[in-house]
Amino acid sequence: MQLATPGTLAARRIDGIALLRHYLQTLAFCLAISALQYFASPDKPYEVPLVYSLCIGSVTWALIDLGRHLFNPNPETGWPYGWGGIALATLGVLGGYLIGTYAADAWFGWSSWQQSVAQQRVSWLITLVAGAVISYYFYAQGKSRHLQGQMQQIQRQATEARLKLLETQLEPHMLFNTLANLRVLIKSDPARAQAMLDHLIAYLRATLGASRASEHALQTEFERVRDYLALMAVRMGPRLQYTLDLPPDLASHPVPTLLLQPLVENSIRHGLEPKVEGGSVKVSARREGDWLTLEVSDTGVGIQAGMDGTRAAPTTAGGFGVAQVRERLATAYGKQCTIEFIAPSGGGTRATLRFPYKNPATPPVRADAPQNALP
């Protein structure tokens, strides 16, 4: 049992809310014990067991719950290690009985120590059993909270690992597609191929060289899409136009990485490239109550023949990339997310992502960062 130094106490800081919660729970136990004592001896006034139970319970709580902060407690339980926890509980119950009894005696103006030994034994037994039960209850409760915290941490780590795995699958997928486009340009237009290669190098420096994270600000996601569209604009020239629409109040909102780029790639490969005159892509974000909605719409050839008239399955609408986006959403938000592919009446395709809105976890982006772009 190791005493805590003043510096340790200052660094750990006593949780006042937890102390109050423990005290209220202790009072509830005291009320239940006094009620049982009254039912066992209904001929005596209820005030007597009530006052003694509250006094003994309050002093015991103060000695144990405040006293355990004088030691370096086990983080799994909040109690001192080994026999220190048992000694603290024993001394706390003993001190609570003695001090609490004197306090209740002073309240009524008599002395309990003048009772017979048999009557005092009953009081000792009640205090011992109640103290042991309540102490074990708080011990088990602290250990349960610690285990729940560990489980939540493990779940978060598993989610982050899964998101990173999916990201490592998506990035090579995007890179291979870009290199295939570059190969075509090398034969048909070497100058544009050189420009596209320069954009690709800059894109890789900005993305692959950055530290990996399971989520980032929505502004960063839009900037990543802008870099990719700049690459595609080199290859398609005036056949590709694009617009990015990100409201300033959503710029710092955290989202899983690589949500939009596969959808934009899907719009270009399956919507705009097959169309002779090309078209435009619009990427937008908006908040709808407790939901965040991201959309990627294009004016391409639309949903392919043989698909559902209003909605396409991810395996047929873009294949690998869209399937990965769906899986990333499911990993991050569970069932609280949707992804839809709709063919608007005016033509083209609109992909819509919806998932819960939460308070931003990243600092606001710089004020001079552009929110829209049109090549």
Side-chain angles (χ1 to χ4, degrees):
M1 184 167 60
Q2 183 180 1
L3 287 174
T5 62
T8 305
L9 287 174
R12 189 164 64 237
R13 291 187 182 180
I14 297 177
D15 187 351
I17 299 299
L19 287 176
L20 178 60
R21 183 177 65 250
H22 292 167
Y23 183 55
L24 293 177
Q25 291 174 329
T26 301
L27 293 181
F29 278 112
C30 292
L31 292 176
I33 294 171
S34 63
L36 291 176
Q37 288 182 287
Y38 176 71
F39 289 142
S41 302
D43 55 316
K44 298 180 180 179
Y46 176 61
E47 181 185 6
V48 174
L50 176 63
V51 172
Y52 276 92
S53 180
L54 291 177
C55 289
I56 295 174
S58 297
V59 175
T60 303
W61 162 82
L63 293 176
I64 296 178
D65 211 12
L66 294 175
R68 65 190 177 92
H69 291 285
L70 298 177
F71 306 91
N72 289 323
N74 186 340
E76 294 185 1
T77 61
W79 287 69
Y81 288 91
W83 288 97
I86 299 177
L88 177 64
T90 302
L91 294 176
V93 171
L94 178 61
Y97 177 76
L98 295 175
I99 299 174
T101 300
Y102 278 116
D105 286 349
W107 175 270
F108 289 109
W110 64 52
S111 176
S112 299
W113 311 109
Q114 296 178 354
Q115 295 178 339
S116 64
V117 175
Q119 291 177 318
Q120 293 187 35
R121 285 177 179 174
V122 173
S123 299
W124 298 342
L125 180 62
I126 293 176
T127 302
L128 179 62
V129 173
V133 171
I134 297 173
S135 297
Y136 181 78
Y137 168 79
F138 286 123
Y139 170 85
Q141 192 180 54
K143 190 170 185 178
S144 176
R145 281 198 299 268
H146 176 75
L147 293 176
Q148 289 177 355
Q150 283 189 323
M151 290 179 60
Q152 292 175 356
Q153 183 178 2
I154 292 173
Q155 290 174 349
R156 286 195 299 269
Q157 292 174 347
T159 299
E160 292 176 359
R162 185 169 181 81
L163 288 174
K164 290 180 180 178
L165 174 62
L166 293 172
E167 182 177 354
T168 59
Q169 294 173 340
L170 274 172
E171 285 180 340
H173 175 72
M174 172 267 170
L175 181 59
F176 294 150
N177 289 336
T178 305
L179 290 176
N181 292 330
L182 183 61
R183 183 175 182 273
V184 174
L185 275 184
I186 290 175
K187 292 183 178 181
S188 60
D189 193 338
R192 290 171 61 192
Q194 180 64 44
M196 187 174 187
L197 182 59
D198 292 339
H199 278 288
L200 178 59
I201 293 173
Y203 176 83
L204 293 178
R205 284 176 177 172
T207 56
L208 300 182
S211 58
R212 299 290 179 85
S214 60
E215 63 179 25
H216 58 193
L218 190 55
Q219 173 71 39
T220 304
E221 183 74 8
F222 268 66
E223 290 175 351
R224 199 167 194 173
V225 169
R226 181 185 294 111
D227 292 335
Y228 174 77
L229 286 170
L231 276 172
M232 294 300 101
V234 174
R235 180 177 187 272
M236 297 182 64
R239 295 179 59 236
L240 172 62
Q241 294 184 330
Y242 60 90
T243 304
L244 304 180
D245 183 11
L246 175 61
D249 59 322
L250 297 180
S252 60
H253 189 276
V255 295
T257 57
L258 278 179
L259 278 185
L260 294 176
Q261 183 266 323
L263 300 180
V264 172
E265 182 179 353
N266 185 67
S267 291
I268 293 176
R269 291 190 64 198
H270 300 282
L272 300 185
E273 284 190 335
K275 194 173 181 179
V276 176
E277 66 274 23
S280 63
V281 176
K282 180 179 180 181
V283 183
S284 61
R286 64 180 182 273
R287 180 181 177 182
E288 298 176 335
D290 295 332
W291 298 90
L292 180 64
T293 299
L294 305 180
E295 281 190 354
V296 177
S297 58
D298 63 71
T299 60
V301 296
I303 295 179
Q304 301 173 10
M307 294 184 183
D308 191 328
T310 59
R311 186 178 303 174
T315 54
T316 55
F320 177 81
V322 176
Q324 290 291 84
V325 171
R326 181 183 292 273
E327 190 169 356
R328 289 174 66 76
L329 280 175
T331 300
Y333 300 100
K335 296 182 179 179
Q336 293 184 309
C337 63
T338 61
I339 176 171
E340 295 179 330
F341 286 86
I342 298 175
S345 57
T349 304
R350 182 171 69 247
T352 304
L353 308 179
R354 288 189 180 90
F355 47 89
Y357 177 88
K358 59 182 180 180
N359 293 328
T362 54
V365 297
R366 60 186 186 277
D368 59 343
Q371 303 299 327
N372 302 302
L374 184 65

